[in-house]
């Protein structure tokens, strides 16, 4: 009887969706611990009407409560849309939901994601395909949501014309994302987990070039919180620790299966939920979440909106390619590069690179620790030079950088690997 219950928990889509719903609702409920109803609504309005370019910390724009509410609502919305379209709650979908939830602390909001989602949906109708086929692209494609916000509120068009043009820009982005995403994955051969980040970087670069050609440009500013809220930190620790408990409770074999997961290279497309089970995947997600918080704390960085976004992305991809074994070498590589360059380890920008550079985790998983350290080293060298190209309008700047690093290193590694095998 007990084994039957555990099996149903492990394999039922209904249970998976319920657990995901609970994690989104938890943030919505927690938001009321940090602000009043009026404060939450007022904060959400400020968030929705902010330009949202990198780096715009919603904790500074709308407060902790409104940021939690924005994240919970966006996660709830993405889960609901997936459920309505009968999408499997697999690794890619979990990664997409948590990435959207993480970036809801610095760049994505209930307004600026809608046009992109609708554009991808229209594309699916034009292709006469089910939206489920493109839902992951739609969710990750909201990396370009700052374009919607900037056109709407940052270019001086006025409120109504700006909103019309902004939504129109989102629709165009959604219409071109799917064909480009499927093409660009060949560029890095699946060794950059943030494939849509690379695709979004190319789109953002082209659109920003058009904007500059027409005489529009903007500077990149940082609006960030520099102090850690202890109550928020405690909430996040409990949030990720609960994932470990869920993983252990819903399967007797979680730890045993976890050892198998840690041997997986993680190259796209590696769905940990399908390969190792939902319980083991959510266990891995919780471990990565606590690892992210521990790392930021040891480096004395602040837990602000962008950092939470970085940790949540790390957590989400704990179901879709990342684990401590293939992620830590990449992080070490970034730290080594930062040490040589004399960068402040506690700065938000540097810590974001440490967290997001794990997009290259498949390199260390496939080619070994040294390759991962080298990839992390090169990633830091490259990522700081790419933000100008897309004007901060691609939230997944590290995915953009990761695509180039993988495209540069993988052919070299493959060549020497073949030589050794001759």
């Amino acid at each position: 009887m007990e084994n039957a219950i555990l099996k149903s928990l492990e394999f039922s889509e209904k249970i998976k969706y319920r657990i995901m719903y609970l994690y989104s609702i938890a943030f919505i409920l927690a938001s009321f611990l940090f602000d009043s109803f009026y404060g939450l609504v007022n904060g959400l309005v400020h968030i929705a009407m902010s330009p949202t370019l990198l780096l715009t910390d919603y904790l500074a724009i709308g407060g902790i409560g409104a940021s939690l509410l924005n994240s919970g609502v966006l996660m709830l919305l993405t889960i609901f849309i997936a459920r309505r379209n009968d999408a499997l709650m697999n690794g890619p979908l979990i990664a997409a939901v948590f990435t959207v939830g993480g970036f809801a602390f610095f760049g994505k909001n209930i307004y600026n994601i809608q046009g992109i989602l609708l554009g991808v949906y229209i594309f699916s109708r034009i292709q006469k395909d089910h939206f489920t086929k493109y839902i992951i692209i739609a969710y990750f494609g909201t990396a370009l949501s700052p374009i919607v916000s900037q056109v709407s509120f940052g270019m001086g068009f006025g409120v109504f014309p700006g909103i019309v043009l902004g939504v129109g820009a989102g629709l165009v982005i959604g219409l071109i994302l799917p064909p480009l995403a499927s093409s660009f994955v060949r560029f890095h051969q699946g060794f950059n987990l943030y494939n849509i980040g690379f695709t979004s970087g190319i789109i953002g670069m082209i659109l920003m070039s058009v904007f500059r050609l027409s005489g529009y440009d903007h500077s990149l500013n940082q609006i960030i919180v520099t102090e850690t809220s202890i109550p928020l930190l405690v909430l996040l620790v409990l949030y990720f620790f609960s994932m470990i408990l869920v993983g252990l409770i819903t399967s007797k074999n979680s730890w045993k299966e976890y050892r198998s997961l840690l041997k997986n290279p993680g190259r796209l497309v590696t769905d940990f939920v399908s390969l190792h089970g939902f319980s083991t995947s959510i266990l891995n997600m919780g471990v990565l979440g606590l690892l992210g918080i521990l790392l930021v704390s040891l480096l004395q960085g602040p837990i602000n909106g962008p950092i939470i976004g970085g940790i949540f992305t790390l957590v989400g991809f704990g179901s879709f390619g990342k684990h401590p074994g293939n992620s830590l070498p990449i992080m070490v590589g970034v730290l080594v590069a930062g040490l040589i360059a004399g960068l402040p380890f506690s700065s938000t920008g540097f810590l974001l690179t440490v967290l997001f550079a794990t997009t290259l985790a498949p390199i260390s998983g496939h080619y070994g620790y040294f390759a991962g350290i080298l990839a992390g080293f090169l990633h830091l060298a490259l990522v700081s030079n790419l933000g100008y190209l897309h004007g901060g309008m691609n939230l997944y700047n590290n995915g953009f950088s990761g695509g180039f690093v993988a495209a540069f290193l993988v052919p070299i590694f493959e060549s020497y690997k073949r030589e050794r095998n001759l």
Side-chain angles (χ1 to χ4, degrees):
M1 181 65 179
E2 182 184 5
N3 288 335
I5 294 174
L6 291 172
K7 186 176 180 180
S8 67
L9 283 171
E10 178 63 54
F11 295 106
S12 168
E13 287 297 313
K14 183 182 293 186
I15 295 296
K16 294 176 188 177
Y17 266 97
R18 284 179 179 175
I19 291 173
M20 291 294 289
Y21 274 129
L22 285 174
Y23 277 110
S24 62
I25 293 171
F27 267 10
I28 295 175
L29 295 177
S31 68
F32 288 91
L33 300 176
F34 290 89
D35 211 339
S36 65
F37 178 78
Y38 172 79
L40 293 174
V41 173
N42 188 51
L44 278 181
V45 171
H46 279 89
I47 286 172
M49 297 186 69
S50 63
T52 74
L53 297 171
L54 287 175
L55 292 167
T56 303
D57 185 349
Y58 285 167
L59 297 185
I61 299 294
I64 295 175
S67 300
L68 286 168
L69 182 59
N70 186 55
S71 178
V73 168
L74 290 193
M75 290 175 68
L76 193 65
L77 176 65
T78 52
I79 296 167
F80 175 76
I81 293 174
R83 187 61 170 164
R84 291 287 295 176
N85 285 275
D86 297 321
L88 293 177
M89 186 53 69
N90 55 20
L93 181 55
I94 293 172
V97 169
F98 273 92
T99 299
V100 170
F103 278 88
F105 285 90
F106 79 117
K108 300 181 183 182
N109 58 61
I110 194 66
Y111 166 68
N112 64 15
I113 70 169
Q114 300 299 328
I116 296 173
L117 296 180
L118 182 58
V120 177
Y121 174 77
I122 293 173
F123 177 85
S124 72
R125 302 301 296 171
I126 293 172
Q127 297 297 312
K128 295 181 172 58
D129 287 326
H130 199 282
F131 181 55
T132 306
K133 182 177 178 180
Y134 305 102
I135 196 168
I136 304 301
I137 294 175
Y139 288 173
F140 283 126
T142 54
L144 290 167
S145 55
I147 293 178
V148 176
S149 293
Q150 189 68 8
V151 172
S152 297
F153 308 117
M155 292 187 174
F157 293 120
V159 177
F160 182 74
I163 289 175
V164 171
L165 291 171
V167 173
L171 289 173
V172 171
I173 291 167
L175 286 167
I176 64 177
L177 262 171
L180 290 176
S182 60
S183 175
F184 285 138
V185 72
R186 293 191 292 272
F187 181 75
H188 51 76
Q189 302 181 55
F191 285 92
N192 173 34
L193 290 175
Y194 307 160
N195 178 53
I196 306 299
F198 180 75
T199 306
S200 299
I202 298 295
I203 295 173
M205 179 179 66
I206 291 174
L207 290 179
M208 195 62 213
S209 299
V210 172
F211 290 156
R212 287 175 177 138
L213 183 66
S214 62
Y216 170 80
D217 201 355
H218 57 255
S219 58
L220 296 178
N221 298 313
Q222 286 195 8
I223 305 172
I224 54 174
V225 169
T226 57
E227 298 292 332
T228 297
S229 165
I230 299 303
L232 178 59
L233 176 60
V234 171
L235 172 66
L236 292 173
V237 169
L238 293 175
Y239 193 85
F240 298 134
F241 185 69
S242 72
M243 292 180 177
I244 296 176
L245 290 180
V246 169
L248 295 174
I249 291 171
T250 55
S251 175
K252 283 184 175 180
N253 299 317
S254 292
W255 279 119
K256 181 179 178 181
E257 186 63 31
Y258 192 41
R259 289 194 292 271
S260 175
L261 183 150
L262 290 172
K263 299 175 183 177
N264 198 307
R267 183 180 177 183
L268 282 179
V269 176
T270 301
D271 180 356
F272 286 162
V273 175
S274 298
L275 294 173
H276 303 284
F278 180 79
S279 298
T280 305
S281 298
I282 202 165
L283 169 63
N284 184 49
M285 290 164 64
V287 170
L288 286 173
L290 294 179
L291 175 64
I293 289 178
L294 177 62
L295 178 66
V296 173
S297 300
L298 289 175
L299 297 177
Q300 300 181 334
I303 301 294
N304 54 28
I307 294 299
I308 295 172
I311 294 173
F312 257 63
T313 304
L314 182 66
V315 168
F317 277 85
S319 67
F320 188 41
K322 294 183 186 180
H323 53 71
N326 63 10
S327 297
L328 284 171
I330 304 293
M331 294 177 171
V332 170
V334 176
L335 291 170
V336 170
L339 183 64
I340 292 174
L343 299 178
F345 281 9
S346 61
S347 71
T348 295
F350 179 78
L351 287 170
L352 282 180
T353 304
V354 174
L355 294 168
F356 282 124
T358 52
T359 181
L360 295 167
I363 289 182
S364 60
H366 191 79
Y367 297 108
Y369 295 153
F370 177 77
I373 292 171
L374 178 59
F377 186 98
L378 290 180
H379 183 83
L380 178 64
L382 186 62
V383 71
S384 59
N385 294 300
L386 295 180
Y388 172 80
L389 296 179
H390 52 76
M393 290 189 175
N394 171 30
L395 292 173
Y396 304 164
N397 187 48
N398 282 271
F400 189 34
S401 172
F404 289 111
V405 173
F408 176 75
L409 288 178
V410 168
I412 298 173
F413 291 152
E414 278 296 311
S415 177
Y416 283 96
K417 183 179 179 182
R418 285 195 298 270
E419 288 294 325
R420 287 199 306 270
N421 291 334
L422 288 178

